[in-house]
Amino acid sequence: MSTPIRVLLADDEHLIREALGQLLGLEDDLEVVGQAASGDEAVLRADGVDVAVLDLQMPGLDGIAVAEQLARTHPACGVVIVTSHGRPGHLKRALTAGVRGFLPKTTSARTLAEVVRRVHAGGRHVDPELAAEAIAAGDSPLTPREADVLELASDGAPVEEIAARAALSPGTVRNYLSNAVGKLGAANRHDACAVARRMGWI
């Protein structure tokens, strides 16, 4: 019998992670060798893992940041992201980071097991609906710096505070925010944050 595919599960929701672990453990050719409740913990537990199944949004490093790190430190480890927040921008960032599987949390355990096998074999799988949405949405019109500043503005922080956190002048922050509002066709910066977050661009 061939060696089972060694799987790491990372999700901050304990119930979901445990249930997934039990379901995947029923597959003869899959072995859940580790579980993590945060992105940082997932990185620490990645040694000897063939495929990491990661939640997109976790405390500390998110799933995409974990994928970027694993691409550097564990290049042989395939990454599958499972999310309830499948925004077009998230999918594009994930593919750029080397993620080879991207699925909604509504996916069945059987489909997830098949995707783990496919990714382990060097293939990839992206949920067709998420892929169609990403294509329809197009690329983010924001520059990386505009996106960074808009994300810092998303909690309602004043310009001076954003400037201090971003190591920029208040005038430069205002310019970035103004550009972002214009590019997104938003009424104001709060509206621009909402649009960018909905699209997964921040």
Side-chain angles (χ1 to χ4, degrees):
M1 185 176 170
S2 59
T3 306
I5 299 168
R6 294 160 299 183
V7 179
L8 168 69
L9 294 176
D11 193 308
D12 60 324
E13 295 183 60
H14 183 77
L15 189 62
I16 290 175
R17 192 176 71 248
E18 286 287 316
L20 265 184
Q22 289 178 7
L23 289 167
L24 291 181
L26 296 174
E27 303 288 330
D28 290 339
D29 60 338
L30 304 181
E31 181 185 0
V32 177
V33 295
Q35 295 191 21
S38 69
D40 302 87
E41 195 181 340
V43 171
L44 292 174
R45 294 176 182 265
D47 285 344
V49 169
D50 297 314
V51 178
V53 178
L54 311 172
D55 186 18
L56 176 63
Q57 295 188 320
M58 295 184 285
L61 299 173
D62 68 10
I64 295 173
V66 173
E68 289 171 339
Q69 198 146 327
L70 293 183
R72 292 191 297 271
T73 59
H74 298 77
C77 178
V79 175
V80 176
I81 283 186
V82 185
T83 180
S84 53
H85 307 279
R87 308 287 186 254
H90 294 152
L91 173 56
K92 291 183 179 183
R93 282 177 51 224
L95 294 177
T96 301
V99 171
R100 299 213 301 271
F102 199 92
L103 303 165
K105 279 192 173 176
T106 51
T107 298
S108 69
R110 177 176 292 180
T111 299
L112 177 59
E114 285 300 325
V115 171
V116 167
R117 293 182 187 105
R118 185 176 303 173
V119 165
H120 179 57
R124 63 176 68 233
H125 178 92
V126 174
D127 178 74
E129 227 171 280
L130 295 178
E133 287 175 16
I135 291 166
D139 293 327
S140 170
L142 304 173
T143 66
R145 209 61 174 124
E146 287 165 355
D148 287 344
V149 168
L150 198 58
E151 186 158 18
L152 290 172
S154 63
D155 61 359
V159 167
E160 289 71 21
E161 185 182 324
I162 297 168
R165 284 157 66 189
L168 297 168
S169 72
T172 301
V173 167
R174 287 191 190 90
N175 287 340
Y176 280 137
L177 290 174
S178 175
N179 290 344
V181 167
K183 287 179 177 181
L184 297 176
N188 51 47
R189 67 174 170 147
H190 304 293
D191 186 30
C193 290
V195 171
R197 198 168 291 289
R198 188 170 67 246
M199 297 304 292
W201 291 335
I202 63 171

